[in-house]
Amino acid sequence: MRYWNDHGMNGWAIGLMTVSMVLVLGLIIVVGLALVRRLDRTPQQHPGALPTHTAPPDPEQLLAERYAKGEIDTDEYRHRLETLRQEQRPGSGSERT
């Protein structure tokens, strides 16, 4: 009995089978490498994003930034700054009798 070249396997079929096997193996390698790189990556931060380990700025810093940007004028800055400082003093606040 002869088993080679039976079942309609000609040169084209063997060539297509070889090409498809190379493509499947290449796909498996690419997916494996992408998965390894994805799992090995350290978390990246986007530019302009606040780092997660820092505390948010205090109210006086935010007020100073708004004043520096020109969002509020000098009188409003001074009024709000004085209000913030009065609220931060011990024994002051909304406890009026």
Side-chain angles (χ1 to χ4, degrees), residues 15-69:
L16 287 174
M17 194 168 51
T18 303
V19 168
S20 65
M21 183 59 108
V22 169
L23 289 175
V24 167
L25 287 175
L27 182 65
I28 290 172
I29 290 171
V30 167
V31 168
L33 288 175
L35 186 62
V36 167
R37 290 184 75 191
R38 174 82 171 156
L39 294 175
D40 190 42
R41 185 186 310 175
T42 57
Q44 300 287 328
Q45 289 188 355
H46 299 290
L50 289 175
T52 56
H53 61 276
T54 60
D58 65 31
E60 288 188 18
Q61 286 177 331
L62 291 174
L63 187 62
E65 288 175 9
R66 288 187 63 198
Y67 178 65
K69 290 178 186 177

Side-chain angles (χ1 to χ4, degrees), residues 58-64 77-89 92:
D58 65 31
E60 288 188 18
Q61 286 177 331
L62 291 174
L63 187 62
Y77 171 74
R78 288 180 182 157
H79 175 69
R80 290 181 182 221
L81 184 62
E82 183 61 32
T83 304
L84 282 174
R85 289 183 177 165
Q86 285 177 358
E87 290 177 359
Q88 291 175 352
R89 290 186 198 140
S92 67

Side-chain angles (χ1 to χ4, degrees), residues 2-23:
R2 246 178 25 155
Y3 289 107
W4 53 89
N5 278 340
D6 282 345
H7 308 293
M9 292 289 283
N10 59 15
W12 286 104
I14 293 172
L16 287 174
M17 194 168 51
T18 303
V19 168
S20 65
M21 183 59 108
V22 169
L23 289 175

